[in-house]
Amino acid sequence: LDKDFIDWVINPDANMDAFWNGFLLENPGQEENVLHAKKLISSFQKRGEKAPAELKERIWQSVLAGTSQPKLISMKKRRAWIAAAAIIVLLVAGYMWFYFNNSSKITTQVLAKNEIKQDIAPGGNRATLTLANGSTIILDSAQNGSLATQGNTQVVKLKDGKLIYQKENSNPASIQYNIISTPRGGQYQLTLTDGSQVWLNAASSITFPTSFVGDKREVKITGEAYFEVAHNAAMPFHVSVNKMDVEVLGTHFNVNAYDDEGMIKTTLFEGSVNVSKGNESVKIRPGQQAIVKNVLGKIQIKDDVDLEAVAAWKNGKFIFQNEDIFSIMRKLERWYNVDVTFKGNVTKEDFIGIISSKVNLSQILRLLKQTGTVKFSVIGKNVLVEEVK
């Protein structure tokens, strides 16, 4: 049923041979299914007929059952991709990947597994909670259940590792603030007393009152966070980040404000938000992104943002969409807790790809290396990126 598979059977070439041989290396139990499908396609092509739908569906379901439920994923083509060759997207053993090299051809060579000898595991559910009195709790090692009482609020760690703030009926005698911070290689999810949910990306933090009072709800973040804000028209929700304010009533949005990215990006998924900086205020709609490039810069609006790519970190994926190697390595630094250095005239070309963030670092580096534009050396927690001469 896959057009690219059919093209390979009918018009095989070296690139496609390498790609599908790589698939078989990753899925050694699929040789029989692949051989059966090749014979079927060849047979019907020779006779000028199409395979019966029922037979094709049975073969495809057999393939699905043997490869951890892979799926063929279609990505929306951007204007910048119009001149590019066809994209093959393949989900194998739970992750997806595809690449273009600098001549817009699919890079399909299979790398030996021992080319990157050292390996680094991905990040996980890690964070530190700082209470109002300054004491700290390491959340990833804390036991489930009630962790602390903050004024009129119970801080509870759930069985799934998430943190929830449960408010009692009475109003607090005074406002107390907590801080949750994630290290490099850590993410965390919490629910505030108003029911709003927050996902913190690696190397990020959120400062918030343990109970909301007054006419607005205010929190402060660093790094990156995704919010699903509980609606309350009488008490707007404000996110403060590096002299910028995001005001919402009830909505889903993502704020990326890492210092090393050089800009603040606020992306709206649903609802409505006002982004303010100084005397400037801009309202954005779902699918738009408000960008502030520096402290003195004005708010710029980007339309038709790929929301799946923005929230990829929250959903356990990396989606590289026309990103250079420097941007990609900053993400890998934060998630794998490594230090990256560059040597030589490293390529400034853009990469396109998607892969699970739950794989070891070596798998991502191998796939990047397949483009033929960069190579890597890993020593301990240090990653050296070099040009390919």
Side-chain angles (χ1 to χ4, degrees):
L1 297 181
D2 176 25
K3 178 181 180 299
D4 295 301
F5 181 87
I6 296 172
D7 289 344
W8 171 53
V9 175
I10 299 171
N11 299 301
D13 61 43
N15 278 346
M16 295 306 295
D17 282 343
F19 180 88
W20 288 105
N21 287 335
F23 170 81
L24 289 174
L25 286 175
E26 294 286 347
N27 299 271
Q30 289 301 313
E31 291 92 344
E32 183 176 350
N33 280 329
V34 169
L35 181 61
H36 189 181
K38 286 178 68 176
K39 289 181 177 179
L40 181 68
I41 292 168
S42 298
S43 172
F44 278 94
Q45 287 296 325
K46 289 177 182 177
R47 292 180 353 203
E49 299 173 1
K50 293 184 178 180
E54 182 180 347
L55 182 57
K56 291 197 295 184
E57 178 64 18
R58 180 172 60 81
I59 294 173
W60 181 240
Q61 291 302 324
S62 176
V63 173
L64 290 181
T67 54
S68 299
Q69 297 182 341
K71 302 175 184 177
L72 294 175
I73 307 296
S74 63
M75 300 292 288
K76 293 182 178 179
K77 292 183 179 180
R78 299 289 180 245
R79 286 187 292 271
W81 303 359
I82 292 177
I87 299 173
I88 291 180
V89 186
L90 181 63
L91 176 59
V92 178
Y95 66 92
M96 303 167 287
W97 58 273
F98 61 88
Y99 290 93
F100 286 155
N101 62 14
N102 56 356
S103 61
S104 296
K105 294 180 181 178
I106 300 168
T107 300
T108 56
Q109 70 184 87
V110 179
L111 298 182
K113 291 186 177 181
N114 62 355
E115 284 192 2
I116 298 173
K117 296 181 179 179
Q118 289 183 275
D119 216 344
I120 298 172
N125 209 33
R126 304 185 184 102
T128 299
L129 167 64
T130 302
L131 301 174
N133 63 3
S135 62
T136 60
I137 299 174
I138 307 302
L139 294 174
D140 35 302
S141 59
Q143 293 184 349
N144 298 333
S146 180
L147 300 182
T149 299
Q150 298 286 275
N152 68 334
T153 302
Q154 287 290 324
V155 184
V156 180
K157 182 181 177 183
L158 303 179
K159 291 182 180 180
D160 58 5
K162 300 174 185 175
L163 203 66
I164 184 170
Y165 279 68
Q166 298 177 337
K167 179 183 176 182
E168 298 176 356
N169 292 328
S170 60
N171 289 325
S174 61
I175 299 177
Q176 298 187 29
Y177 287 89
N178 283 188
I179 302 172
I180 293 180
S181 55
T182 55
R184 294 201 307 180
Q187 292 179 353
Y188 215 78
Q189 183 180 348
L190 70 146
T191 301
L192 304 175
T193 52
D194 67 337
S196 296
Q197 296 187 69
V198 184
W199 287 257
L200 279 181
N201 202 353
S204 303
S205 70
I206 180 170
T207 303
F208 56 96
T210 58
S211 183
F212 293 109
V213 296
D215 58 359
K216 60 181 177 180
R217 298 166 285 172
E218 293 182 287
V219 302
K220 181 179 180 180
I221 69 163
T222 64
E224 185 168 23
Y226 182 94
F227 291 85
E228 292 186 359
V229 175
H231 180 79
N232 185 346
M235 189 181 286
F237 195 98
H238 290 257
V239 178
S240 174
V241 51
N242 196 15
K243 298 182 180 181
M244 194 183 78
D245 179 80
V246 180
E247 178 185 1
V248 305
L249 296 177
T251 188
H252 298 185
F253 62 99
N254 189 86
V255 180
N256 183 315
Y258 288 112
D259 290 338
D260 58 2
E261 295 295 340
M263 64 183 71
I264 301 173
K265 298 179 180 179
T266 303
T267 309
L268 184 61
F269 287 71
E270 59 180 73
S272 176
V273 305
N274 285 318
V275 178
S276 301
K277 181 176 177 293
N279 296 325
E280 186 181 10
S281 181
V282 176
K283 185 176 182 179
I284 61 174
R285 56 177 173 77
Q288 287 186 323
Q289 185 178 79
I291 303 172
V292 178
K293 291 189 175 180
N294 53 59
V295 176
L296 300 176
K298 292 185 175 294
I299 301 174
Q300 301 177 358
I301 303 299
K302 181 178 180 181
D303 294 315
D304 300 323
V305 176
D306 189 328
L307 299 180
E308 183 184 7
V310 173
W313 67 268
K314 168 180 169 287
N315 299 321
K317 293 183 288 185
F318 289 111
I319 297 181
F320 307 130
Q321 193 175 77
N322 298 320
E323 288 189 55
D324 61 32
I325 192 65
F326 304 97
S327 174
I328 290 173
M329 295 312 296
R330 288 195 297 272
K331 291 180 178 179
L332 298 185
E333 270 189 319
R334 290 190 286 263
W335 185 234
Y336 290 93
N337 188 22
V338 295
D339 294 311
V340 176
T341 55
F342 296 88
K343 181 179 179 180
N345 188 25
V346 178
T347 180
K348 292 181 174 60
E349 294 181 18
D350 290 340
F351 292 76
I352 300 171
I354 178 171
I355 186 170
S356 168
S357 61
K358 298 178 182 178
V359 300
N360 288 341
L361 178 62
S362 63
Q363 292 185 249
I364 299 180
L365 298 185
R366 286 193 189 102
L367 294 177
L368 288 170
K369 187 176 180 180
Q370 286 186 45
T371 63
T373 59
V374 286
K375 60 181 180 179
F376 304 90
S377 300
V378 181
I379 301 176
K381 286 281 191 177
N382 298 294
V383 179
L384 177 64
V385 185
E386 299 180 78
E387 64 177 317
V388 175
K389 298 180 180 179

